[in-house]
Amino acid sequence: MTNREAIDSLKKIRTYTAAGLLDVIEYLIKVLEKLEKEGVTDPLNTDFKKLKN
């Protein structure tokens, strides 16, 4: 699964999420968008210690 696929799925899920969880879904979307922007294509297998700040 790519970051973009996960983002798109989270945006669809957001529509049906309970109001109390919307902030969590929004946060996850922002994190994945930032990772994608920074070029991290496989966050589950990335050693973040090696990335520049």
Side-chain angles (χ1 to χ4, degrees):
M1 173 176 283
T2 67
N3 290 339
R4 178 54 38 203
E5 290 170 327
I7 291 166
D8 292 343
S9 294
L10 284 168
K11 286 181 177 180
K12 290 175 186 172
I13 290 169
R14 176 178 57 190
T15 304
Y16 304 103
T17 298
L21 297 175
L22 284 175
D23 287 342
V24 173
I25 297 293
E26 289 296 327
Y27 179 80
L28 291 170
I29 291 169
K30 288 179 184 178
V31 167
L32 286 172
E33 287 176 337
K34 181 167 176 83
L35 288 172
E36 183 177 40
K37 180 181 175 188
E38 297 296 324
V40 178
T41 57
D42 190 6
L44 295 179
N45 294 310
T46 298
D47 183 1
F48 289 97
K49 294 177 186 174
K50 294 182 180 179
L51 294 176
K52 287 194 311 187
N53 291 334

